[in-house]
Amino acid sequence: QRARSEQLSTHVVDEVLANLKQQTRVIELDRSQPEFTQTFADYFQQRVTAERIERGQELLDQYEAFLTDLTRKYGVPGRYLVAFWGLETNFGSYLGKMPTLDSLATLACDERRSEFFTNELMQALALLERESLTPAEMRGSWAGAMGHTQFMPSAYRLYATDGDGDGHVNLWRSERDALASGANFLVNLGWQKGQRWGREVLLPDDFPYEKTGLNNSQPVTYWKGLGVSFANGHPIPDIDMQASVLVPAGHTGPAFLVYANFDVILQWNRSEYYALAVGLLADRIIGAGPLVRPPSTDETALSRNEVANMQRQLNELGFDAGEIDGVLGSMTQSALREFQASNGMIADGYPDRTTLCALSVKTGSTPCL
């Protein structure tokens, strides 16, 4: 009924849509996304690797003239496009093998994000008609993302563009189409020309960690007044550009000052880990050094059940962690910061064992050691 209301052809509704098959593996993968089940250290070290940096540098050189033209047209530096390419498909070495339409239909019938994936399924079916594709050609990630830069169908329909000048747009077979489409997508998401994504910074010992998080955006001058400095110890400039401070591994790990373009990267993928990896890989590709304060590899990632239990405890104590979904999102981190601050702890919003133990004691749960 939805497909018919979208004015899709009888062929698509009766032959394509009617023959899609449920993909049980898709639901399994949806519940175990690495952004939700890994520590920042694990996620970062598996993605910003020496091999990926080296390959990114080679491709930046190989496509230098083309990427320069894209920067001139869209304002997006080539290093970011190459970084997205590297994070999404390891520079095209793995485009995904899951049947896109079947995967989207499976997720559309799952309760977690049914409306979102129903819309993406409709977009994919319309794309199949517009580009004269077959269901067999449309393969990609388990979540329905396609091509070298893993565009969701809605992004493909709206922002994919002809980069190689052949009169067609194919994000599977044309690297130039994929790179040009990435630039077009980013500028339409609000990319700020001439600005970077963010940078690693150092925080003073007395830094008020309750002010960390994307929901607290302040001018750079404000952060300078709190003693924030560049990672090399030099002072940050007196400018009014808005920025937030992130500590993805807690107060013992690296800290980042992130700007408006970081929010743009998040619109490509809503994971802060992902956005940090894109920015840091882009920097490494043009010669930046490794993190001054790398995250500890000693931390163990929480399972989704453990995060859900933490959310229940926070809600029980009156700290609004939002929906109990087992995902450590911004609302849960904000609730954690409030709990930590109210109990005399460093309020970094990070669920270390000390914080989890304190939650268990406060809620009368099984004491931890």
Side-chain angles (χ1 to χ4, degrees), residues 53 90 98 104 132 157 284 327 365:
I53 293 165
N90 199 24
M98 299 294 289
L104 289 170
S132 301
R157 284 194 72 197
R284 294 300 304 275
V327 176
S365 304

Side-chain angles (χ1 to χ4, degrees), residues 230-291:
F230 288 136
N232 61 9
H234 294 166
I236 58 178
D238 281 310
I239 54 176
D240 290 330
M241 188 165 67
Q242 293 293 117
S244 301
V245 172
L246 301 183
V247 283
H251 66 279
T252 62
F256 303 96
L257 194 65
V258 298
Y259 313 124
N261 282 338
F262 185 84
D263 294 328
V264 173
I265 298 172
L266 279 175
Q267 292 181 68
W268 187 305
N269 182 316
R270 296 304 307 177
S271 163
E272 289 183 16
Y273 286 6
Y274 175 89
L276 287 168
V278 168
L280 291 166
L281 178 58
D283 289 349
R284 294 300 304 275
I285 285 172
I286 60 167
L291 291 175

Side-chain angles (χ1 to χ4, degrees), residues 187-364:
V187 76
N188 277 279
L189 292 176
W191 187 269
Q192 300 297 302
K193 183 179 180 180
Q195 293 186 18
R196 55 188 295 145
W197 66 275
R199 62 178 76 245
E200 185 186 8
V201 293
L202 296 180
L203 307 181
D205 292 339
D206 60 350
F207 183 81
Y209 282 88
E210 63 273 13
K211 297 184 182 296
T212 59
L214 287 175
N215 58 351
N216 185 30
S217 179
Q218 301 288 347
V220 172
T221 52
Y222 172 85
W223 299 115
K224 182 176 182 177
L226 291 180
V228 177
S229 64
F230 288 136
N232 61 9
H234 294 166
I236 58 178
D238 281 310
I239 54 176
D240 290 330
M241 188 165 67
Q242 293 293 117
S244 301
V245 172
L246 301 183
V247 283
H251 66 279
T252 62
F256 303 96
L257 194 65
V258 298
Y259 313 124
N261 282 338
F262 185 84
D263 294 328
V264 173
I265 298 172
L266 279 175
Q267 292 181 68
W268 187 305
N269 182 316
R270 296 304 307 177
S271 163
E272 289 183 16
Y273 286 6
Y274 175 89
L276 287 168
V278 168
L280 291 166
L281 178 58
D283 289 349
R284 294 300 304 275
I285 285 172
I286 60 167
L291 291 175
V292 171
R293 192 173 181 178
S296 170
T297 57
D298 294 336
E299 293 286 339
T300 302
L302 299 180
S303 68
R304 291 190 75 138
N305 285 338
E306 288 175 311
V307 174
N309 183 57
M310 178 181 68
Q311 291 170 326
R312 277 190 290 268
Q313 292 174 325
L314 287 166
N315 287 339
E316 180 183 332
L317 293 171
F319 302 97
D320 187 7
E323 180 186 357
I324 298 173
D325 57 4
V327 176
L328 186 62
S330 58
M331 197 167 182
T332 302
Q333 289 176 312
S334 180
L336 266 180
R337 282 191 287 270
E338 292 178 18
F339 170 78
Q340 290 167 327
S342 69
N343 287 274
M345 308 169 73
I346 294 177
D348 57 8
Y350 186 72
D352 58 18
R353 292 299 163 183
T354 301
T355 300
L356 295 177
C357 195
L359 272 171
S360 294
V361 170
K362 289 290 183 180
T363 56

Side-chain angles (χ1 to χ4, degrees), residues 13 18 43 49 61 64 73 118 128 131 133 136 158 171 173 192 216 230 261 272-273 298 312 321-322 332 336 368:
V13 176
Y43 186 91
T49 63
D61 289 341
E64 181 180 8
K73 181 176 181 180
T118 297
L128 176 139
E131 301 295 335
L133 299 168
L158 289 171
L171 302 188
R173 293 194 290 270
Q192 300 297 302
N216 185 30
F230 288 136
N261 282 338
E272 289 183 16
Y273 286 6
D298 294 336
R312 277 190 290 268
T332 302
L336 266 180
C368 53

Side-chain angles (χ1 to χ4, degrees), residues 74-126:
Y74 297 102
V76 182
R79 65 182 181 273
Y80 291 103
L81 301 174
V82 173
F84 276 108
W85 191 11
L87 264 291
E88 291 293 348
T89 61
N90 199 24
F91 310 112
S93 65
Y94 185 75
L95 302 184
K97 296 181 179 179
M98 299 294 289
T100 297
L101 298 176
D102 301 76
S103 297
L104 289 170
T106 298
L107 291 165
C109 293
D110 179 58
E111 62 182 14
R112 195 175 80 82
R113 297 181 69 192
S114 176
E115 182 56 32
F116 172 81
F117 285 108
T118 297
N119 179 63
E120 291 296 335
L121 174 60
M122 295 303 115
Q123 298 277 359
L125 291 168

